[in-house]
Amino acid sequence: MSELFDAVDALLASRATLPPPAERKRLRAAHGLTIDEVAGALKVRRATVSGWESGKTEPRPPERDAYARLLDKLAELYPAAPAPAAEDGPAPDDPVPATFTAAQPTEQASADGEASEAVKPQVPAADLVDAPATAPRPASTTRPSSSRRPGARKAAPAGAPAGGADPRFENGPLAVVDVEDGKVLAYGVGGLVLDVPAKSLPSLVDWTLREAKLGQPKLSGPGRPADPLIVLTEAALERYGLPTALSAEEKDAGRIPEGHKVIKQLTRADWKLTKRGFGPWARIYRPAKGSDRQCVQLCIPSWNALDPRFWDHAAELPPAELTRVLGTYATRVMTPRGSTAVTSLELMTALHPPTHAVRDEETGALRQADTKTPGSLGSHPVDCAPPEAPNGHPVLNALNLPRFHVRGPSEMLFEEVYDWARPMTDAECTLRYLVGLDVNMAFGAGANGLNVGLGEPTHVKNPGFDPKLPGSWLVDLSHVDMSKVKAGKEWVALDGNLLPSPFTPKGDRPTGPAWYATPTVAYAQELGYDVAPTEAYVRYDNGRYLDGWYQRLRDAYLATMADLGVTTDLSPEDFLTAMDGYRNRDPELGIVITAIKATAKGGIGKLRERPRGEGWRTGERWRALDRPTWRPDIRAAVISRTRINLHRKIVRHAAFTGQYPIAIMSDCVVYAANGPSPLDFVPYRDGKPLPGGFKLGVNPGLVKHEGTQTVLWGEEVREKFDAPELNLARSIKDGTVSTADNGE
């Protein structure tokens, strides 16, 4: 009889109902699952799952029943038909925490791409913005008398978008508010200009939420839409009673005083500010009603909201041009939520929201889940392991270290970027040029496909090393000899004296046990050497958390570079030509490129943010520790993999050409060559680069020309500072060397 039942079950499984292919992909992406993870669970090939999601093939028993069960469970977590959901207002802290919203179908950056350097954009560049970024800038228009009614729209330039798919945000993610001829105008994306009837800041906030139709759809299924962003020019600040610049005292505090008249106006109108107060990136909100958030973000450029280190001269642009810069960035990356580093963390969270909706079995209503969303960091911070903690962290209090104790490599994880240089050999001094190569979006490429910890660390003694398990490992790598290593499957002999060690930022060979992140230890194995950790802090809850973050930044970077004439299909020669002066072709898009790169780099650094004043004392918690995204272990893993990626290229290049680097600074490496171009020493055969070596191109992980100086210049600089190992990679771009480059 059991055989008959089994046969019936198999027959039913063969007819298990499955949702359409597009819905299968949506459900997988909503849960943060990769194609590889689904394929592993079902014990099928990756291409098989990809075929199911594209509709090219259909699952067959016995996998069909298991696949149907998976999709049914996901459909319960992320229903396609959203229902109104209660949502609390943001807590009085900054940034405003993500709140529960019903899950909806969404377009999400795929998290199942391979960890490949040469990746083309997933969508055409023109599809990433409301209007082509290369369209003519909006021209100034006179304000017609018929547009005096509140919220009236000026005529947009030809080719401007008719609006996004979501009618709530049909006017784009943001607007720059300015005053012209005594009238308040809001400049939106695509040349749109709106009349603003608001005569006070509280009424401006109210108008933004009721009439402006500003905002941005959510980036992932369990997430929430972005709040509208209002950028205030100096003229708008004067109109609404705010200072055009902060005093020295206000700059130190990062806000205007709580007793300011505008803050009192907001309070009387029942608007609230987050704990950070009214500063360059103020957030103004009321507790939400139902599923509708009531929150507006302000950006005040003249208060240094747009730091010139990351936004170039954006703060000096006229309103229409500034709207284009910020609008392009917002559409391709996300609506800015603060500095580029803060926005980077917000992008990580938006792609992997900590909470999600579930349907209550008793009432049928949607509510917030009791557990974190799989693949996310959750909504509560976790403490790092002691070796991962920076000096002064409260987790070190239990160690009872002497007051002025300096932790060494065997006590502290020290994964940092390269800062290494060596004297030139006699043969190198006979060459004419020093040529610098720079890795495109190096930290983004280092994060791509990287498995990182999502939860708390587990302490283990004498563990067997697992290269797939994120963690920090105490291991002795001093036996790794760079004179004989594996490059691929073969052992090769190298001049180890001309190579930096891959295990330390200064390139020095380790002298004993030290703490390393997983990618560093895995590289020692790759080079052909055994590793035997004596201790580790590992994270069994892990995943490719940064994949979606990387892919969105990658697509934004490639789309903007394509608008500037630098595309992924160029030959090495054409690529170098296209990169020559590319920013000058459209300075506004050049600003966007700077901001995108700063977002990738700043987000990784922000994962281990240090105290910023705040009256902090050693051993006490500081504000950043209360973020789930305060994760020094993830930062260390990304930096480790970025450094290892570069070292791998250097080894392959040395094994093939016999050429060794002169200096390395972070993602820039300098070689001596007979010619001024990278093509004078980067090997190509029939247009194809050395496998695993340097490749010229715009994709993240590939390299571009950083700059060229003469060997004579390098020798003179080192002689001037009496520093034969002065890091020339710091100044290879323009040849300018300061005393700071010499450590003074």
Side-chain angles (χ1 to χ4, degrees), residues 501-723:
S501 166
F503 309 126
T504 63
K506 290 293 184 181
D508 301 325
R509 186 169 177 170
T511 58
W515 286 97
Y516 302 101
T518 297
T520 302
V521 185
Y523 187 54
Q525 281 190 331
E526 181 184 325
L527 293 174
Y529 292 85
D530 294 331
V531 297
T534 58
E535 189 178 353
Y537 288 89
V538 297
R539 287 173 168 83
Y540 295 110
D541 179 11
N542 56 69
R544 289 165 57 164
Y545 175 74
L546 295 173
D547 273 12
W549 171 85
Y550 160 74
Q551 288 158 7
R552 185 148 180 100
L553 290 174
R554 176 201 65 195
D555 288 349
Y557 176 76
L558 293 181
T560 309
M561 289 298 290
D563 290 334
L564 289 165
V566 186
T567 58
T568 59
D569 56 353
L570 296 174
S571 67
E573 296 81 4
D574 291 341
F575 169 71
L576 292 174
T577 300
M579 287 294 293
D580 187 16
Y582 73 97
R583 291 176 181 271
N584 297 331
R585 295 176 198 137
D586 192 325
E588 292 164 19
L589 290 185
I591 295 174
V592 177
I593 284 293
T594 299
I596 292 172
K597 291 164 65 176
T599 303
K601 187 174 183 178
I604 300 303
K606 197 82 169 174
L607 290 169
R608 198 190 69 161
E609 183 179 1
R610 302 289 285 130
R612 306 175 66 180
E614 310 167 10
W616 174 79
R617 294 181 180 180
T618 297
E620 297 178 345
R621 293 186 67 83
W622 59 92
R623 185 166 55 190
L625 300 187
D626 295 330
R627 293 194 325 252
T629 50
W630 194 87
R631 293 295 302 272
D633 57 301
I634 296 180
R635 172 188 179 273
V638 172
I639 293 178
S640 164
R641 193 162 186 249
T642 301
R643 192 182 67 248
I644 294 307
N645 284 348
L646 181 57
H647 195 275
R648 185 181 293 110
K649 290 180 172 64
I650 290 170
V651 168
R652 293 292 180 92
H653 186 85
F656 188 79
T657 68
Q659 298 168 336
Y660 295 84
I662 302 295
I664 311 173
M665 186 65 211
S666 186
D667 50 4
C668 175
V669 56
V670 176
Y671 283 88
N674 263 325
S677 168
L679 291 176
D680 291 314
F681 71 95
V682 175
Y684 275 83
R685 283 183 177 177
D686 301 324
K688 296 182 179 180
L690 169 69
F694 295 108
K695 179 181 179 181
L696 292 164
V698 70
N699 281 290
L702 306 190
V703 297
K704 63 179 181 294
H705 184 203
E706 178 69 2
T708 296
Q709 305 296 329
T710 63
V711 168
L712 180 60
W713 164 85
E715 288 296 278
E716 288 179 344
V717 166
R718 285 178 164 178
E719 182 178 351
K720 176 182 178 182
F721 289 103
D722 191 24

Side-chain angles (χ1 to χ4, degrees), residues 4-72:
L4 293 176
F5 286 164
D6 291 342
V8 170
D9 289 343
L11 189 62
L12 292 174
S14 68
R15 297 294 187 271
T17 303
L18 297 174
E23 178 68 0
R24 302 169 195 173
K25 182 176 181 180
R26 182 193 76 81
L27 291 171
R28 174 183 59 77
H31 202 61
L33 297 175
T34 66
I35 289 182
D36 289 320
E37 289 173 324
V38 175
L42 299 178
K43 293 182 172 52
V44 297
R45 294 185 304 115
R46 184 183 190 280
T48 301
V49 178
S50 181
W52 296 346
E53 291 189 353
S54 66
K56 294 180 180 179
T57 59
E58 286 294 310
R60 306 168 75 177
E63 292 84 6
R64 184 183 181 94
D65 189 38
Y67 188 47
R69 179 179 177 84
L70 170 66
L71 296 175
D72 286 344

Side-chain angles (χ1 to χ4, degrees), residues 23 26-27 74-85 100-106 218 221 357-359 364-366:
E23 178 68 0
R26 182 193 76 81
L27 291 171
L74 292 178
E76 293 178 6
L77 293 175
Y78 312 103
F100 154 69
T101 55
Q104 296 178 356
T106 183
K218 57 187 178 180
V358 294
R359 196 171 297 281
L366 288 174

Side-chain angles (χ1 to χ4, degrees), residues 73-349:
K73 294 295 184 182
L74 292 178
E76 293 178 6
L77 293 175
Y78 312 103
E87 181 180 315
D88 296 328
D93 202 352
D94 191 23
V96 175
T99 49
F100 154 69
T101 55
Q104 296 178 356
T106 183
E107 296 252 348
Q108 180 185 17
S110 173
D112 47 64
E114 298 294 331
S116 171
E117 293 174 339
V119 184
K120 294 185 178 181
Q122 296 175 329
V123 293
D127 292 342
L128 291 174
V129 288
D130 292 335
T134 51
R137 298 174 181 82
S140 298
T141 57
T142 57
R143 188 171 184 269
S145 58
S146 60
S147 67
R148 295 183 63 85
R149 66 187 185 281
R153 189 181 310 180
K154 284 191 176 183
D166 194 325
R168 296 175 298 170
F169 315 128
E170 68 176 37
N171 289 336
L174 56 88
V176 176
V177 175
D178 190 32
V179 179
E180 295 181 10
D181 300 327
K183 298 179 177 64
V184 183
L185 303 175
Y187 290 80
V189 296
L192 178 70
V193 184
L194 302 174
D195 291 324
V196 181
K199 300 185 181 301
S200 66
L201 191 65
S203 60
L204 174 64
V205 174
D206 189 70
W207 172 83
T208 301
L209 293 172
R210 292 178 181 272
E211 301 183 45
K213 296 185 178 180
L214 297 175
Q216 192 173 33
K218 57 187 178 180
L219 297 179
S220 68
R224 61 178 177 83
D227 298 316
L229 174 65
I230 294 294
V231 185
L232 298 176
T233 66
E234 292 189 27
L237 292 173
E238 291 180 345
R239 169 59 64 93
Y240 293 121
L242 291 164
T244 57
L246 296 179
S247 66
E249 183 178 348
E250 290 168 344
K251 286 181 181 178
D252 290 340
R255 66 183 80 182
I256 59 176
E258 293 183 5
H260 194 281
K261 63 179 182 180
V262 172
I263 296 181
K264 292 180 179 179
Q265 291 174 1
L266 292 169
T267 302
R268 286 195 297 269
D270 294 328
W271 291 108
K272 300 179 182 294
L273 292 166
T274 59
K275 283 186 178 180
R276 290 185 183 270
F278 203 121
W281 289 95
R283 294 187 68 76
I284 303 172
Y285 72 94
R286 284 177 181 153
K289 297 179 179 179
S291 61
D292 295 328
R293 287 175 58 86
Q294 297 189 74
C295 189
V296 173
Q297 173 93 51
L298 297 185
C299 168
I300 306 178
S302 64
W303 294 7
N304 201 38
L306 302 177
D307 191 317
R309 293 175 298 173
F310 316 124
W311 289 97
D312 289 339
H313 60 285
E316 303 170 7
L317 293 174
E321 284 77 1
L322 179 56
T323 301
R324 180 172 181 252
V325 168
L326 295 178
T328 302
Y329 177 91
T331 307
R332 294 181 173 179
V333 179
M334 73 177 300
T335 303
R337 292 284 301 273
S339 68
T340 50
V342 169
T343 301
S344 187
L345 293 186
E346 291 294 325
L347 178 61
M348 295 178 193
T349 303

